[in-house]
Each structure stands twice: as C-alpha cells, then as structure tokens.
Amino acid sequence: VAHAAGGVGRFTFRQLCGTALNADDYLSLAKHFHTLVIEDVPRFTLDQHNEARRFTNLVDCAYERHARLVLSADAPPRELLASMEGLADLTLSSASRSSRTDSQARMSRPAPDGASVTDAVRLAAQGPNDAAPGNDDTNTGSGVVGVMAGAVGSLQESGFAARRATSRLLHMQTEEYLAAHRRHRLGGAE
C-alpha cells in the first residue's frame, strides 16, 4: 500500500480491481483500514465484467466490515453498475430467440457499442450452427448450449451482485451506516 495513514488507505481502482484479488484480500484490507479511498472507479460496461465482479466483492467486504468507501468515480453510485445490473434479468430462452438470418448477419461483424446484453448473449448462443437448448451435438448439456446455460447463470449472478453492491453503496452514504462505522471503529468490534 503506497498511501496509508491513520487507518485510511488510498488506492486506484486498477490496483484493487484490475488485478486478480479476491474476497480474502478485500476482507484483509477492510480489517486493516477503516476507510478505503479508491480513485478512478469507472462507469462499468459489459466489457469490464471481471473488474465489476471484483468491485462488487470489494463493496461487499467493506460493507460487512463496516468500513467506509470514498470513491472518485465516473458516475454516481446508482449509475456505476447499471449495465451490470441488467444481467440479473437475463435468461437463456430470451437470449437464444433470434432468426437465423439475423444471427448470420450479426455474426459477420462485431457487436456495436451499446448493443444489449441479450444481443451479445444471443450471438454467443447461436454460434455457427444455431445451437439451441436441447439440440447440442450430444444432448448432454456439455456442448455449446450447456456451456451457454452455465455462462448465463454466471452473468445473472453478476447482475444480482451488482444490484446488491449498488444498494450497499447507497446505504453506506446514510447516517445510519456512518454511525455503525463509528461504533465499530471505536468499539473495535469484529
């Protein structure tokens, strides 16, 4: 930690979420520092899925340890994870609805900026053979569709985690949370 004093640690977003840190690392930081100052937090896009997952883990760990987060961010808390929150509503059936012609046209070019998550997942689900639930080569769930179902589940969990992190970020701004932070800090409670 390059910048630390009096129980406050200062980090860049890249230091904490742009590297392979996990919940244990974040819990350790929240135990050591009562306040974490994090610079350059982006407004997350779907391309930053891994970084967003790490950020949600960081928020969860800070929240559970009653630590304060001070963010220098590209957007207010309600907007930081908005694109990720939409993943919670994603389903394989909604993602795989597409005509063959539409799928073929989109497979030949990259998805444009602003394409919906459903469009991106639909492209992946269609694949070159227009795989759909129940018609993978082996019907074992281990082919394209089986992998896709697992990927959709993982994306959904990311969406739920993003919703929870947004809720916690908002709660961390309340007098109730700040009072709990002070009690925790002064009382030395674990």
Side-chain angles (χ1 to χ4, degrees), residues 63 68 78 167-182:
Y63 187 86
R68 289 186 299 186
R78 284 190 194 281
S167 174
R168 287 180 168 188
L169 284 170
L170 294 171
H171 185 242
M172 291 169 103
Q173 296 178 17
T174 66
E175 185 55 42
E176 173 190 20
Y177 182 85
L178 294 174
H181 163 79
R182 286 187 292 273

Side-chain angles (χ1 to χ4, degrees), residues 126-149:
Q126 292 300 315
N129 299 319
D130 282 338
N135 74 348
D136 60 336
D137 289 344
T138 62
N139 203 23
T140 64
S142 62
V144 172
V145 175
V147 170
M148 192 62 207

Side-chain angles (χ1 to χ4, degrees), residues 43-127:
R43 179 188 311 247
F44 293 94
T45 65
L46 296 177
D47 291 337
Q48 296 168 305
H49 175 261
N50 291 329
E51 293 87 348
R53 282 301 298 252
R54 290 184 197 113
F55 182 73
T56 59
N57 282 335
L58 171 62
V59 170
D60 285 344
C61 292
Y63 187 86
E64 290 167 11
R65 299 279 311 162
H66 303 284
R68 289 186 299 186
L69 287 178
V70 178
L71 306 178
S72 167
D74 289 343
R78 284 190 194 281
E79 298 173 20
L80 282 177
L81 292 158
S83 66
M84 302 305 296
E85 290 180 39
L87 296 173
D89 301 322
L90 190 64
T91 64
L92 184 57
S93 61
S94 70
S96 63
R97 279 187 229 124
S98 176
S99 71
R100 184 171 172 77
T101 304
D102 186 37
S103 174
Q104 288 172 332
R106 285 185 283 157
M107 289 294 286
S108 65
R109 64 185 187 278
D113 288 339
S116 73
V117 175
T118 301
D119 288 341
V121 173
R122 184 181 301 136
L123 284 172
Q126 292 300 315

